[in-house]
Amino acid sequence: MALAYLRELENGVRFAIWRIEETAEDLIGRLQLDEQERETLNRLNKGKRTLHWLATRVLLREMLNTPGYISCPSDANGKPYLANFPQRISLTHSFDYAAVMMSDNGEVGIDLELVKTKILRIADKFMKPAELEGIAGQQRIEQLYACWCAKEAVYKLQGNKGVSFKDNMTILPFEFQDQGVLFLDLDAPNRKTRFKVYYEKFQEYMLGYVMEGN
């Protein structure tokens, strides 16, 4: 794996993006997997899904800088967590990249997406009409991806199933830049919070990430 991007943020938060260049066998050789994790691997379709799963675990090992076993199960809502380390984490992957966000304190969320024109066809599935009114101009596709990544990052941070991108999340109007900040209101049954979400273009991808209490 080759480190493509590493960023240290405030309050003990950091994230890293890695380009996946190894085979599944190479990645497995860098991990300590228990029986349950090997069963998870066997259930995955071979190919990118397997590489993504393995790559995030290898990146966790790099970020924690430990030779010991790292237990990374998922809770009842599908949110991954570290069972034997205190840090909070969020995982993402897209095509040739895997990323991990890690915090020594509160929850975090991160999402990485390859920018494609297909998002124009599904914009009304995750955006309210009022939100879409502010999406215009030559960078409309990138702006929509910034919105998607922001909602996905907040979804991962809050960790509850049944939260709708369209019905429970509202992005306030913002001026899109290649790297910027937007604000997102979460109005869900278990939580009502305004989040400050960071987004930026990374090569041909869009990255969004959020920290609790920021």
Side-chain angles (χ1 to χ4, degrees):
M1 299 170 72
L3 181 64
Y5 191 13
L6 173 64
R7 188 159 185 186
E8 296 280 346
L9 305 170
E10 57 189 26
N11 300 324
V13 180
R14 54 208 177 275
F15 69 81
I17 303 175
W18 289 73
R19 182 176 177 86
I20 306 169
E21 299 173 332
E22 294 83 0
T23 65
E25 291 73 21
D26 291 333
L27 294 172
I28 290 172
R30 299 178 64 175
L31 294 170
Q32 299 165 330
L33 301 176
D34 64 13
E35 183 176 348
Q36 184 175 358
E37 289 168 327
R38 291 188 180 278
E39 290 177 358
T40 298
L41 265 182
N42 290 334
R43 289 195 299 269
L44 295 174
N45 295 329
K46 302 303 181 185
K48 285 293 185 184
R49 285 191 65 196
T50 296
L51 289 174
H52 288 154
W53 190 93
L54 290 168
T56 54
R57 270 66 185 178
V58 171
L59 184 49
L60 276 174
R61 177 173 293 281
E62 296 286 336
M63 294 182 73
L64 289 168
N65 191 27
T66 176
Y69 172 68
I70 299 171
S71 177
C72 182
S74 297
D75 65 17
N77 292 324
K79 180 179 174 64
Y81 67 96
L82 296 175
N84 58 338
F85 287 86
Q87 289 86 352
R88 310 296 179 88
I89 61 168
S90 182
L91 313 177
T92 188
H93 44 72
S94 183
F95 290 86
D96 295 330
Y97 290 91
V100 171
M101 191 171 188
M102 185 176 292
S103 171
D104 295 334
N105 300 296
E107 297 288 351
V108 292
I110 189 169
D111 188 50
L112 180 69
E113 301 287 343
L114 180 64
V115 174
K116 293 185 173 183
T117 58
K118 69 175 184 179
I119 200 167
L120 295 170
R121 300 195 300 270
I122 63 169
D124 61 346
K125 304 296 183 184
F126 69 93
M127 298 279 282
K128 299 179 180 69
E131 292 175 296
L132 289 172
E133 288 178 2
I135 307 295
Q138 294 182 341
Q139 292 183 297
R140 186 166 183 249
I141 293 172
E142 288 85 355
Q143 191 172 356
L144 284 170
Y145 268 101
C147 294
W148 172 273
C149 289
K151 293 192 176 190
E152 181 69 34
V154 169
Y155 183 88
K156 291 179 178 180
L157 181 150
Q158 59 86 40
N160 291 303
K161 286 184 177 179
V163 173
S164 165
F165 281 23
K166 185 172 182 177
D167 299 332
N168 301 120
M169 297 184 188
T170 302
I171 291 176
L172 279 63
F174 70 104
E175 183 177 347
F176 178 78
Q177 301 172 339
D178 288 349
Q179 181 176 355
V181 173
L182 60 80
F183 290 90
L184 184 154
D185 285 340
L186 174 67
D187 186 0
N190 296 318
R191 187 168 186 177
K192 292 178 172 58
T193 311
R194 175 167 292 181
F195 289 97
K196 181 180 182 180
V197 186
Y198 300 83
Y199 69 88
E200 59 184 274
K201 292 177 68 175
F202 167 73
Q203 299 179 11
E204 67 270 33
Y205 293 74
M206 185 64 67
L207 174 69
Y209 56 94
V210 61
M211 299 160 278
E212 197 167 41
N214 181 265

